[in-house]
Amino acid sequence: MLSVIDALSQIVATVCPLPVIDVPVASALGRVLAAEVTADLDSPPFDKALMDGFAVRSEDIRGERIDLRIIEEVTAGRVPQRSLSSGQATRIMTGAMIPTGADAVVRIEDVELDPAQPDRVIIKVPSIRPEQNVLRRGTSMRAGQRVMSAGRKLRAQELAALTEMGQTQLQVRPQPRIAVLATGDELVPVEQVPGPGQIRNSNETMLAAQIAQAGCSAMPLGVARDERVHLRERIAVGLEADMLLLSGGVSAGKLDLVPSELEQAGVEQVFHKINMKPGKPLWFGVLRRADRPCYVFGLPGNPVSSMVCFELFVRAAIRRLTGEQPELPQPQMARLTHAHLHKDDRETYFPAAIWTENGSLCARLMNWHGSSDLQSTVEANAMVVFPSLPAEYAAGAMVPVIEW
Ligand code: AMP
Ligand code: MG
């Protein structure tokens, strides 16, 4: 059976990034940058005061109560008209341009002003380091340098840095539209009290939320009955999206009609079944169309299986679609806080709580009752990965974890 890593590489090989679009910087939050951006200016663009106070020559400040003559006042946005000579100071505000000749700013708290002598300032500190409270032109970035690489997801700070560099329009990849179709005769909507043998459709809510968390837009399609004509009609609607996620109907049961109906609709199977727990029945394929393909995941119906498969595989497909780097999940190493016997010969993704203690990452496994036990994921914020080899783990063992 296919391993997780091989399944991930098949996904990466199958999915093509969406075509690049141009959007105004104000609409780019959550999108992924598709082209490298270089700085058009130095940052800061001039030598700048970091404090309100007095621009001085540091060599002048030697000894107690040095008295300097104030030659000018410069507020932010103004250009100093006079360069500073020995024995002089310029009153300056945070963010204003430093006059030539000055190499430090004495904070306003460290001076004394006498209203009777409005052109004098007394420096209360005995010395000041050259460059103190000054940020030189180009310290954080030089014109022509790379500000950001392609593949970065844009948050507030990225958008601010790009705005500083004069980027009004950004090249990004569009937000994928992802359809969600739950299948199963046993499913009822949340507002309905389930009858005998019925359960509520929690997967639609969960998957729509995971889609939103991944920065995509979810198209919930309700429930398809375990019946070919109805399922076929709903699949046809879902295939209009960039990606279609089905839940349920992919195992070996009598009414597991999803794989055959997908193939009937022209969706080419890439793989079915993975050597993992939970999530073994996962199905993945692609509908190749002239204009744009639709990628299809048949997720197992069990909620924890669906959730894990989304985090590992659907997320990787989304990152690939949007060009986000890195494409694959990035495990970190954590210290198990208790012993654990891993009996399964499938690679296992175990719900866990992780936290940092004395600078190192710790992991505690949940009391997990298997792939339908949604409740144990509520307290979890990660999954611990156990390889496909049964083994005993002592307390303190280092294990890979993936944040949820
Ligand atoms: P299946 O993969 O269709 O055999 O379903 C496996 C298990 O997951 C069954 O116990 C289903 O009742 C449950 N299940 C399937 N779909 C959903 C759903 N949308 N929400 C919650 N549980 C589900
Ligand atoms: Mg079913």
Side-chain angles (χ1 to χ4, degrees):
M1 215 184 302
L2 198 63
S3 66
V4 170
I5 189 71
D6 288 343
L8 283 169
S9 31
Q10 292 195 12
I11 290 170
V12 168
T14 304
V15 178
C16 296
L18 292 171
V20 174
I21 53 166
D22 259 25
V23 295
V25 70
S27 316
L29 181 65
R31 302 284 69 77
V32 178
L33 194 63
E36 171 180 306
V37 172
T38 51
D40 71 331
L41 296 173
D42 289 339
S43 172
F46 48 85
D47 297 343
K48 173 184 214 177
L50 293 178
M51 292 282 177
D52 293 320
F54 285 85
V56 299
R57 298 167 75 97
S58 59
E59 62 191 24
D60 281 352
I61 318 299
R62 295 275 178 271
E64 299 300 319
R65 299 182 66 78
I66 299 288
D67 181 352
L68 301 174
R69 194 164 74 79
I70 304 171
I71 57 165
E72 191 181 11
E73 186 171 294
V74 184
T75 51
R78 305 248 168 256
V79 178
Q81 301 301 311
R82 304 193 49 188
S83 71
L84 215 70
S85 312
S86 186
Q88 300 182 329
T90 291
R91 176 133 200 204
I92 199 160
M93 313 303 154
T94 304
M97 246 173 127
I98 303 280
T100 51
D103 68 348
V105 172
V106 179
R107 300 181 311 159
I108 193 77
E109 297 87 332
D110 295 334
V111 307
E112 216 173 272
L113 293 166
D114 177 359
Q117 283 190 299
D119 65 337
R120 309 298 302 182
V121 56
I122 294 167
I123 309 295
K124 293 194 290 182
V125 287
S127 69
I128 186 161
R129 200 169 37 75
E131 303 306 315
Q132 186 139 355
N133 303 326
V134 172
L135 189 65
R136 289 290 174 190
R137 172 177 183 158
T139 307
S140 51
M141 179 79 55
R142 287 268 172 216
Q145 259 186 341
R146 184 172 61 209
V147 181
M148 225 167 273
S149 316
R152 188 178 271 268
K153 198 168 199 170
L154 301 171
R155 303 166 298 166
Q157 51 270 58
E158 279 84 15
L159 294 177
L162 292 166
T163 299
E164 190 191 353
M165 292 307 154
Q167 300 287 316
T168 51
Q169 293 284 118
L170 298 176
Q171 293 202 309
V172 300
R173 299 207 188 259
Q175 184 177 46
R177 288 178 323 132
I178 305 184
V180 178
L181 180 58
T183 73
D185 284 339
E186 74 278 33
L187 301 177
V188 297
V190 60
E191 45 296 326
Q192 202 167 312
V193 178
Q198 296 183 322
I199 58 166
R200 293 194 177 102
N201 177 12
S202 58
N203 283 356
E204 180 179 286
T205 307
M206 178 180 75
L207 293 169
Q210 287 179 291
I211 290 167
Q213 279 175 341
C216 303
S217 85
M219 295 167 47
L221 299 181
V223 174
R225 294 191 299 278
D226 290 323
E227 184 268 308
R228 288 201 183 273
V229 177
H230 188 234
L231 183 58
R232 193 169 299 175
E233 182 265 317
R234 297 275 77 201
I235 284 176
V237 176
L239 289 174
E240 293 301 310
D242 298 307
M243 197 184 285
L244 166 60
L245 308 183
L246 293 110
S247 105
V250 284
S251 319
K254 203 173 154 199
L255 290 181
D256 289 336
L257 310 174
V258 167
S260 56
E261 277 308 315
L262 285 171
E263 285 184 59
Q264 158 80 27
V267 185
E268 202 178 291
Q269 176 182 314
V270 175
F271 61 74
H272 189 192
K273 293 197 168 67
I274 301 184
N275 188 31
M276 69 180 293
K277 179 188 171 180
K280 181 174 156 198
L282 181 69
W283 192 98
F284 173 64
V286 55
L287 175 66
R288 301 191 192 277
R289 285 184 294 216
D291 53 344
R292 66 197 154 78
C294 178
Y295 304 98
V296 183
F297 285 92
L299 302 168
N302 269 312
V304 185
S305 311
S306 248
M307 187 168 173
V308 167
C309 285
F310 185 102
E311 290 304 316
L312 288 178
F313 304 110
V314 180
R315 277 259 189 190
I318 291 172
R319 285 192 288 258
R320 179 81 185 139
L321 263 185
T322 59
E324 187 181 349
Q325 294 293 332
E327 286 167 341
L328 298 183
Q330 302 291 304
Q332 312 170 63
M333 296 307 284
R335 192 175 302 282
L336 260 190
T337 57
H338 53 92
H340 176 69
L341 178 60
H342 169 57
K343 287 186 261 186
D344 218 288
D345 59 0
R346 284 180 292 166
E347 190 163 314
T348 300
Y349 290 75
F350 208 112
I354 59 170
W355 68 96
T356 304
E357 207 171 284
N358 302 327
S360 80
L361 199 59
C362 302
R364 178 174 55 82
L365 301 177
M366 299 286 111
N367 180 20
W368 180 39
H369 300 289
S371 52
S372 62
D373 178 14
L374 200 51
Q375 208 51 41
S376 65
T377 64
V378 172
E379 297 294 316
N381 59 354
M383 39 197 180
V384 169
V385 189
F386 293 110
S388 56
L389 213 60
E392 250 185 278
Y393 290 80
M398 296 303 286
V399 289
V401 299
I402 297 173
E403 254 187 283
W404 251 344

